[in-house]
Amino acid sequence: MEKILIEPRDGLVASCLSNLLQTSAEDVLASGDTFKVGLSGGSLVQLLAQTLPNITTDWSRWYFFFCDERIVPFDSSDSTYGDYKTKLIGKVPVTEEQFIKINPDLSAEDAAKDYIKKMSVFFPPDRVPCFDVLLLGLGPDGHTCSLFPGHKLLNEASLWVCPINDSPKPPPSRITFTLPVINNAKKCIFVITGSSKAEIVKRILQGRERILPAARVQPHNGYLYWILDEDAAKFLETA
């Protein structure tokens, strides 16, 4: 099921995301399970640093994974984990151990295999992981995670995590969740702000251009949310 939520300004986008995460966490934690969230980088990091402190929850039962990550040292400005460590830890009571991190000293191929092993601690190894929430970003070319238009990884059908060494966006070496994992999540949430994304949002939500990786995010048994500000939604007929 797809839901498009359009908010008039950034503060209300953050509030909308906060409410969605709060209710999602409450449902999962009430069942006795841990709350497993996949993170993306970019503008989402700052938005979550603004959003998460507003949530009342048992933070010790949250675990954070990375929908994709660059093969760089954690102290690099390109490290998504490094960005979260700087901007989030300390604002909410979570520890570094609650972030399931890559090994940045490995090649992309070995880092992907290692990340699958780390995920297998939290998910049964004989079936596709089912994340409670995946927080996804959107590039102006329609990419999400490190799945780029026309790339062979879009056709990966079995592996949970794959390496990529020819990313058209630097740095070139990364790991990324694959579409089978993304589309097995309970909730996939795109949070998109700014007029620079308005054209690609229209192509995905109205044009349904399946050549665009983000347009292929269609959870089989879950929910797909698009939280947009008015600028990002300005070309939509519903706006």
Side-chain angles (χ1 to χ4, degrees):
M1 180 181 292
E2 183 177 84
K3 296 185 177 182
I4 301 172
L5 308 172
I6 301 172
E7 303 293 343
R9 56 185 185 275
D10 279 358
L12 293 179
V13 167
S15 177
C16 182
L17 176 59
S18 177
N19 292 338
L20 193 50
L21 288 172
Q22 172 101 40
T23 56
S24 299
E26 286 172 353
D27 290 345
V28 173
L29 297 181
S31 73
D33 204 351
T34 56
F35 187 53
K36 294 175 279 292
V37 181
L39 300 171
S40 298
S43 59
L44 187 65
V45 185
Q46 187 60 48
L47 185 63
L48 286 173
Q50 176 186 350
T51 298
L52 294 184
N54 298 322
I55 294 176
T56 303
T57 185
D58 181 355
W59 286 109
S60 68
R61 294 167 63 198
W62 287 52
Y63 287 92
F64 301 96
F65 300 75
F66 292 92
C67 298
D68 67 331
E69 178 61 290
R70 293 86 172 258
I71 310 297
V72 295
F74 292 149
D75 60 1
S76 166
S77 61
D78 284 322
S79 171
T80 299
Y81 167 65
D83 208 9
Y84 277 102
K85 181 180 177 181
T86 300
K87 294 177 180 173
L88 190 62
I89 294 178
K91 289 201 171 186
V92 292
V94 295
T95 66
E96 293 185 33
E97 288 69 34
Q98 286 170 257
F99 289 82
I100 312 307
K101 303 174 283 291
I102 68 162
N103 182 340
D105 297 324
L106 300 176
S107 67
E109 290 78 10
D110 289 340
K113 293 173 185 175
D114 180 65
Y115 207 69
I116 292 171
K117 289 181 183 176
K118 289 174 177 174
M119 289 169 62
S120 296
V121 174
F122 297 87
F123 299 99
D126 58 344
R127 66 189 77 146
V128 178
C130 180
F131 280 91
D132 297 306
V133 171
L134 294 181
L135 295 168
L136 301 172
L138 173 68
D141 61 351
H143 84 266
T144 190
C145 302
S146 283
L147 299 173
F148 294 91
H151 199 280
K152 63 183 179 181
L153 287 185
L154 292 171
N155 299 317
E156 176 57 50
S158 57
L159 291 175
W160 297 358
V161 181
C162 278
I164 176 170
N165 285 304
D166 57 352
S167 166
K169 180 181 178 183
S173 293
R174 304 155 173 245
I175 66 165
T176 183
F177 284 175
T178 57
L179 283 171
V181 170
I182 296 169
N183 285 330
N184 201 46
K186 295 177 185 175
K187 291 187 177 81
C188 289
I189 305 174
F190 285 95
V191 187
I192 313 298
T193 60
S195 57
S196 66
K197 299 289 180 69
E199 181 60 38
I200 197 68
V201 165
K202 179 184 179 182
R203 288 176 63 191
I204 292 167
L205 293 181
Q206 287 183 190
R208 302 291 174 180
E209 295 184 34
R210 297 283 289 174
I211 194 172
L212 301 172
R216 300 194 190 187
V217 175
Q218 297 287 332
H220 307 307
N221 301 304
Y223 290 87
L224 172 60
Y225 291 88
W226 288 83
I227 304 176
L228 310 170
D229 70 358
E230 287 183 336
D231 286 341
K234 68 181 182 180
F235 294 148
L236 297 181
E237 293 173 5
T238 54

